[in-house]
Amino acid sequence: MRRLRVLVTATIALATLVAGAAVPAQATPAGPPKVPTAVGYGGAVSTVDATATAVGLDVLRRGGNAVDAAVAAAATLGVTEPFSAGIGGGGFFVYYDAKTGRVHTIDGREAGPASMSETTFINAATGQPYRFDEARISGLSVGVPGTLLTWQDALDRWGTRSLAQLLTPAERVAEDGFPVDETFAGQVAGNQAAFGQFSSTSALYLPGGQPPAVGSTFRNPDLAATYRLIAKRGTDVFYRGEVGGDVVATVQHPPVAAQPVGSWPYPIRPAGMTAADLAGYRTRSPEPTRSDYRGLEVYGMSTPSSGGTAVGEALNILEQYDLRSMTAAQAMHRYLEASALAFADRNRYVGDHTPQSVLRELLSDGFAKERACLIDPSAALPKPVAPGVPDGVYGGCSAAKVADIRDDRTGTTNLTVADRWGNVVEYTLTIEATGGNGMVVPGRGFLLNNELTDFNFAPTQGTAPDPNLPGPGKRPRSSMSPTIVLADGRPLLAVGSPGGATIITTVLQMLVNRIDLGMTLPEALAAPRASQRNGASTQAEPGFVSGYAAGLPPGHAFSPTAEIGAATGIEFLSDGRLLAAAEPVRRGGGAAAVVGRWASPAS
């Protein structure tokens, strides 16, 4: 099980969040019970971490809104989940504004520096692409971070608290520390060879050359000081000041240890990120993607995320079938095949610069019907399937030439927040691989991302253009899929997950489970998962294989994996209550909480 962290100082710090003034608060010796499901009113929070959920909940209880709580929880995840998120990374922020009834997005995805080119990940000596870990553990993989500016922009547009106030609880957790659990220690151990190559990372995460012991207290005073500096001087200290200068120095001159812990098989390459790259970074605010499914409005993230288009296209394909009238295995067959078709199209067409006209066609009903006609109820399609042709002329089944089945990694986290006014935040943030690029910025306490390895290292589409090759200022394609579902213009569901390319299928499967198969939201999150990403085999948890494989038609092949994703979600119930749900087991389990608990009339 994940850690229950001491929250005394964090709770005291949160007292400053009410109207910017200190308010007396009773210190509590420990966080609330860690439960994956909570039902109540007044607002709700769901994250993968008990401390982050408690911090967000306290913001709501003290009058902050969903955006305030999301930023405070995300900053805390940067402390307690540092291998998945932090100010060295980026993410996608989806927001439902109850006043206007509109869904907005912030693209805080990391960007390639001006020095980046289509051949950045090609070894000049061999003419071949670098191996993934060779590219990852280097300056080459680091994109210009967008997380901190995402927080500031969200607060400027919709928040009621200052960034300085909302960083305070996370700063206290970093300063005072938290107990190390098995997940935290295991993530360090899994990165020991990479972390051990850098003096700054080894000093923080490998004391004495070993991962911190389970049950020990982990403190990050450098990150606490960085948060305090940002709180005092604003985001410019990162994008135009000394913190940014240290980021650039780390990328240009990786802090390679004089005496590494363990060995590493590749040279550690520097890269050309500059102060101008940081100063020139801006978030974007694209229109969300929208798909109508079973009378519901499904909103997601547009490019450079592929999540909104891939989830939306797969839903449009599945809408051609009455899944409710089928057995669960029959429905899962359609789900797997729709996923493969959507991934074929995602890989062929979707990247940072995909024209809006193409994105509209990918989400059109005509294209979905053409793709759906390929699905055979009696057999699985041979994989990989070819992409379709989203040209606006649809009739029979179509096929094109090339399928790219490249994957991306899993170092990501997700949170869901709703407030008493009906505002909703679904936020997925990341540093890409678990542990990012392995480099802690010296003296600053946070890891840098390896997000640029989400680009295709070399062309994948034969003679056709590849939409996801590196380029200056370009943002790599992502699978993050923060999703908000409306019913008659009002929130019904908000869901998201980490998990690299499996994020798309995890969100899609949760929606199918909840909307079509009659599961409750907690059941939809907990149900066994499978991820078909247009590959020869489907990645699947043991429970999926044992529960569905016997009823599937021939042609499906499975690759076992212990777990897929670590989702969070909130549902707006018909009686006005909120149901917050998190993983009961995966990634050590998550934490869901509501501002006010529901008491039945009989209690």
Side-chain angles (χ1 to χ4, degrees), residues 92-166:
F92 298 115
F93 192 101
V94 179
Y95 172 65
Y96 171 80
D97 187 338
K99 288 183 179 179
T100 64
R102 292 187 58 197
V103 177
H104 304 269
T105 72
I106 297 177
D107 163 17
R109 181 69 158 163
E110 301 87 337
S115 59
M116 188 158 223
S117 73
E118 289 190 356
T119 61
T120 290
F121 294 116
I122 302 296
N123 188 328
T126 65
Q128 297 299 309
Y130 295 124
R131 295 179 182 272
F132 176 80
D133 279 339
E134 185 175 9
R136 174 199 165 196
I137 306 301
S138 76
L140 299 175
S141 66
V142 185
V144 180
T147 289
L148 192 59
L149 203 55
T150 298
W151 298 348
Q152 187 62 68
D153 286 357
L155 294 171
D156 288 345
R157 295 174 67 180
W158 309 300
T160 68
R161 304 289 187 265
S162 71
L163 180 60
Q165 291 170 305
L166 297 168

Side-chain angles (χ1 to χ4, degrees), residues 301 304-315 318 335 338-347 350 406-408 428 477-483 495-512 529-533 564-565:
M301 193 70 212
S305 176
S306 62
T309 54
V311 170
E313 179 188 340
L315 288 173
L318 291 171
Y335 153 70
S339 297
L341 292 165
F343 260 89
D345 300 325
R346 170 252 198 199
N347 294 341
V350 180
R406 184 183 175 279
D407 224 346
D408 49 311
T428 311
R477 180 174 62 203
S478 170
S479 298
M480 291 184 281
S481 307
T483 301
V495 292
S497 177
T502 69
I503 294 172
I504 291 169
T505 56
T506 294
V507 169
L508 175 63
Q509 190 177 355
M510 287 191 296
L511 293 175
V512 170
R529 294 182 185 137
S531 180
Q532 169 49 247
R533 305 188 298 280
I564 297 173

Side-chain angles (χ1 to χ4, degrees), residues 182 200 222 225 337 354 389 432 454 474 496 529 559 571:
E182 292 182 1
S200 52
D222 285 347
E337 299 293 83
T354 302
V389 183
E432 215 268 336
D454 272 351
K474 192 174 180 182
R529 294 182 185 137
S559 300
E571 181 170 353

Side-chain angles (χ1 to χ4, degrees), residues 455-553:
F455 283 120
N456 294 335
F457 288 11
T460 63
Q461 300 302 314
T463 59
D466 189 316
N468 192 41
L469 290 176
K474 192 174 180 182
R475 304 184 183 197
R477 180 174 62 203
S478 170
S479 298
M480 291 184 281
S481 307
T483 301
I484 293 177
V485 181
L486 307 184
D488 299 321
R490 299 176 64 84
L492 174 65
L493 292 170
V495 292
S497 177
T502 69
I503 294 172
I504 291 169
T505 56
T506 294
V507 169
L508 175 63
Q509 190 177 355
M510 287 191 296
L511 293 175
V512 170
N513 286 344
R514 177 67 191 92
I515 297 168
D516 291 304
L517 302 187
M519 297 184 190
T520 65
L521 181 60
E523 290 169 343
L525 265 69
R529 294 182 185 137
S531 180
Q532 169 49 247
R533 305 188 298 280
N534 201 23
S537 65
T538 296
Q539 192 176 10
E541 296 175 342
F544 188 94
V545 176
S546 63
Y548 297 116
L552 293 172

Side-chain angles (χ1 to χ4, degrees), residues 2-12 14 26-35 49-58 61 76 80 173 177-179 590-593 597:
R2 268 178 119 61
R3 51 198 166 272
L4 288 178
R5 300 189 176 94
V6 177
L7 291 174
V8 177
T9 55
T11 303
I12 294 172
L14 280 163
Q26 293 296 318
T28 118
K34 183 178 179 182
V35 294
D49 177 76
T51 301
T53 293
V55 165
L57 190 70
D58 203 69
R61 283 177 170 160
T76 306
T80 60
V173 175
F178 54 86
R597 283 282 184 174

Side-chain angles (χ1 to χ4, degrees), residues 275-301:
D277 292 319
L278 280 172
Y281 183 86
R282 300 290 185 274
T283 61
R284 303 170 179 172
S285 298
E287 286 296 313
T289 61
R290 173 176 167 171
S291 300
D292 294 329
Y293 185 69
R294 316 290 193 202
L296 304 173
E297 306 151 45
V298 182
Y299 289 91
M301 193 70 212

Side-chain angles (χ1 to χ4, degrees), residues 236-595:
D236 273 359
V237 77
F238 188 97
Y239 289 98
R240 293 175 177 82
E242 54 261 46
V243 176
D246 289 342
V247 169
V248 169
T250 304
V251 174
Q252 293 183 356
H253 307 283
V256 178
Q259 295 181 321
V261 178
S263 61
W264 188 250
Y266 308 112
I268 296 170
R269 294 175 171 85
M273 183 186 292
T274 66
D277 292 319
L278 280 172
Y281 183 86
R282 300 290 185 274
T283 61
R284 303 170 179 172
S285 298
E287 286 296 313
T289 61
R290 173 176 167 171
S291 300
D292 294 329
Y293 185 69
R294 316 290 193 202
L296 304 173
E297 306 151 45
V298 182
Y299 289 91
M301 193 70 212
S302 188
T303 56
S305 176
S306 62
T309 54
V311 170
E313 179 188 340
L315 288 173
N316 290 341
I317 293 170
L318 291 171
E319 197 167 28
Q320 311 307 310
Y321 305 98
D322 182 6
L323 300 183
R324 297 179 184 179
S325 68
M326 299 178 181
T327 66
Q330 289 171 339
M332 285 297 102
H333 170 62
R334 271 72 173 185
Y335 153 70
L336 294 173
E337 299 293 83
S339 297
L341 292 165
F343 260 89
D345 300 325
R346 170 252 198 199
N347 294 341
R348 171 64 187 85
Y349 297 109
V350 180
D352 189 22
H353 298 154
T354 302
Q356 287 297 312
S357 58
V358 175
L359 298 178
R360 284 193 294 270
E361 290 301 324
L362 289 173
L363 288 172
S364 68
D365 289 336
F367 184 63
K369 290 177 181 178
E370 187 174 81
R371 299 299 274 157
C373 78
L374 292 169
I375 297 177
D376 183 346
S378 63
L381 292 166
K383 310 296 189 308
V385 298
V389 183
D391 57 2
V393 180
Y394 306 120
C397 297
S398 66
K401 295 181 180 178
V402 182
D404 162 33
I405 57 172
R406 184 183 175 279
D407 224 346
D408 49 311
R409 279 20 185 209
T410 61
T412 305
T413 192
N414 190 83
L415 61 89
T416 312
V417 182
D419 62 30
R420 71 182 72 174
W421 301 281
N423 303 303
V424 184
V425 172
E426 189 64 50
Y427 183 25
T428 311
L429 57 161
T430 183
I431 58 173
E432 215 268 336
T434 301
N437 85 330
M439 300 181 195
V440 167
V441 178
R444 301 300 182 184
F446 60 89
L447 283 156
L448 291 177
N449 69 85
N450 66 297
E451 216 64 60
L452 300 185
T453 57
D454 272 351
F455 283 120
N456 294 335
F457 288 11
T460 63
Q461 300 302 314
T463 59
D466 189 316
N468 192 41
L469 290 176
K474 192 174 180 182
R475 304 184 183 197
R477 180 174 62 203
S478 170
S479 298
M480 291 184 281
S481 307
T483 301
I484 293 177
V485 181
L486 307 184
D488 299 321
R490 299 176 64 84
L492 174 65
L493 292 170
V495 292
S497 177
T502 69
I503 294 172
I504 291 169
T505 56
T506 294
V507 169
L508 175 63
Q509 190 177 355
M510 287 191 296
L511 293 175
V512 170
N513 286 344
R514 177 67 191 92
I515 297 168
D516 291 304
L517 302 187
M519 297 184 190
T520 65
L521 181 60
E523 290 169 343
L525 265 69
R529 294 182 185 137
S531 180
Q532 169 49 247
R533 305 188 298 280
N534 201 23
S537 65
T538 296
Q539 192 176 10
E541 296 175 342
F544 188 94
V545 176
S546 63
Y548 297 116
L552 293 172
H556 289 285
F558 295 100
S559 300
T561 187
E563 62 181 31
I564 297 173
T568 67
I570 292 174
E571 181 170 353
F572 288 70
L573 302 178
S574 59
D575 59 6
R577 292 179 297 159
L578 296 168
L579 188 164
E583 295 286 356
V585 176
R586 294 181 185 96
R587 205 152 121 179
V594 291
V595 171

